[in-house]
Amino acid sequence: MLRVYSTAFEYTITGDTDYMSKGTLIALGGGYDDDLIKLIRSEICPINSSIEIIATAATEPEESGMAYKNAFEELGCGKVQFMLIDEEHEADKPEYLERMRQADVIFFTGGDQVRLTEFLSGTQLLDIMSKRYHEEPLIIAGTSAGAAVMSDRMIYDGYGHYSLIKGEMKTTQGFGLIQGVYLDTHFVERGRFGRLAHAVAHDPHYVGIGLSEETGIIIKEGNKVEVFGTGVVTIIDASKIRFSNTRQVSENEPIAVENLIMHMLVEGYRYCLKEHLFQPVEHVPRQQAETSNTAPAT
């Protein structure tokens, strides 16, 4: 586990984090999600895989769950069910617990991620899912709120330039499937750079991952972050921060941070969380990549 020691001028980061897990996380930044469904169906799991949909985040969970069930079935998936978990339907039904033990894919819809933690945190259902994710090749996918909730901490508030004011950006407990990461969605479209930067500046042992709409990531072994979709994934790395006033400044005052590192990933590139490393997926020689990027215009 990483420990962060702060002074007024410097952060020192020591320790390590256990990144290894046998499962796979797939997180989409929101928006049009047909490509995510097709990815799960065609590239990730066989057609006979058992898929469980959890639509708790949605305003109308039953309607949303049925819509996604139909979408998977239209692609030929024959073993698709959804778990209705809300104010009137508990998570720890014996039937749901058994289905969670048998599922190959768990899919979380968008909506309000706080609802997901409200109705699933502390349940046997979440315990089973988490244990299987770390010990078995279970696939857990989600869009929007279903993506944001995957880490141990999640951002749930902070808008525009106000998110750079202390007290405006808020975080809370997530599902804890992956540690030391903030996942933020609708990132470019809703101007969420400020709140993600604020979050990692406050917790510099975290890496911030901002997902644009119709763009997502596949996290393998709890470490390797690969991009899919048409947009950009933004990485904000606070591990080299030299100064941050986030813990000293008063409420309602702006924050100051020195030496945040940012990367922009598109499909074909990955980021390794443990190594803080940006690299091409196909391992194109760096010299060749740099040559193509610096060629003179004609």
Side-chain angles (χ1 to χ4, degrees):
M1 182 63 67
L2 292 168
R3 292 184 178 180
V4 178
Y5 301 93
S6 64
T7 67
F9 299 99
E10 181 178 17
Y11 282 96
T12 301
I13 301 179
T14 61
D16 199 0
T17 297
D18 182 7
Y19 287 89
M20 185 59 68
S21 63
K22 294 185 178 180
T24 299
L25 297 179
I26 307 176
L28 184 74
Y32 186 74
D33 55 17
D34 277 16
D35 287 347
L36 172 59
I37 296 171
K38 291 175 182 177
L39 174 71
I40 295 170
R41 160 61 189 93
S42 63
E43 298 184 29
I44 302 297
C45 64
I47 195 168
N48 62 346
S49 296
S50 175
I51 300 173
E52 291 287 350
I53 297 164
I54 299 178
T56 304
T59 305
E60 300 290 341
E62 188 166 6
E63 180 179 333
S64 179
M66 285 301 299
Y68 277 99
K69 181 176 185 295
N70 292 337
F72 278 108
E73 289 176 342
E74 286 174 4
L75 293 176
C77 300
K79 296 174 65 178
V80 188
Q81 302 180 85
F82 81 93
M83 299 180 182
L84 181 58
I85 302 168
D86 58 15
E87 291 84 349
E88 299 178 1
H89 303 85
E90 66 172 349
D92 287 343
K93 293 171 58 176
E95 175 194 351
Y96 287 175
L97 299 181
E98 183 57 31
R99 281 162 50 182
M100 182 60 74
R101 294 185 183 100
Q102 302 301 321
D104 301 300
V105 180
I106 310 298
F107 181 86
F108 288 94
T109 71
D112 179 0
Q113 63 259 39
V114 176
R115 283 180 55 84
L116 286 169
T117 58
E118 179 182 357
F119 294 113
L120 274 78
S121 290
T123 65
Q124 295 180 61
L125 189 80
L126 184 58
D127 288 345
I128 293 169
M129 182 179 71
S130 180
K131 187 174 189 294
R132 291 195 61 214
Y133 165 71
H134 286 97
E135 298 178 358
E136 303 175 32
L138 177 67
I139 297 164
I140 302 176
T143 180
S144 188
V149 77
M150 291 178 176
S151 186
D152 57 326
R153 300 291 299 175
M154 65 179 185
I155 303 171
Y156 72 96
D157 210 349
Y159 301 96
H161 68 279
Y162 294 107
S163 62
L164 294 172
I165 303 296
K166 185 169 182 178
E168 293 293 326
M169 183 281 304
K170 297 181 177 64
T171 68
T172 190
Q173 180 181 359
F175 281 171
L177 300 171
I178 186 169
Q179 305 289 318
V181 173
Y182 281 115
L183 291 166
D184 210 352
T185 59
H186 306 280
F187 188 69
V188 173
E189 295 78 8
R190 299 185 185 178
R192 290 179 167 173
F193 176 87
R195 74 181 200 174
L196 187 59
H198 190 161
V200 298
H202 186 268
D203 297 310
H205 55 296
Y206 278 67
V207 172
I209 303 178
L211 306 175
S212 300
E213 292 180 0
E214 300 175 22
T215 306
I217 53 174
I218 302 171
I219 304 179
K220 301 175 181 178
E221 301 172 7
N223 182 37
K224 299 174 183 177
V225 179
E226 298 184 7
V227 180
F228 68 92
T230 58
V232 175
V233 171
T234 302
I235 304 290
I236 306 180
D237 180 356
S239 63
K240 303 298 183 182
I241 279 180
R242 290 192 289 263
F243 168 80
S244 171
N245 71 350
T246 59
R247 295 182 183 275
Q248 290 81 30
V249 71
S250 300
E251 292 284 314
N252 301 316
E253 293 292 328
I255 66 167
V257 186
E258 179 187 8
N259 211 45
L260 276 178
I261 300 171
M262 186 179 79
H263 308 284
M264 300 177 70
L265 279 69
V266 294
E267 192 166 353
Y269 293 84
R270 72 159 65 96
Y271 186 79
C272 299
L273 297 167
K274 182 177 181 179
E275 298 83 2
H276 297 270
L277 178 65
F278 175 104
Q279 62 182 195
V281 173
E282 297 300 328
H283 302 292
V284 176
R286 178 64 64 180
Q287 184 177 2
Q288 177 182 336
E290 290 176 350
T291 300
S292 63
N293 288 338
T294 57
T298 58

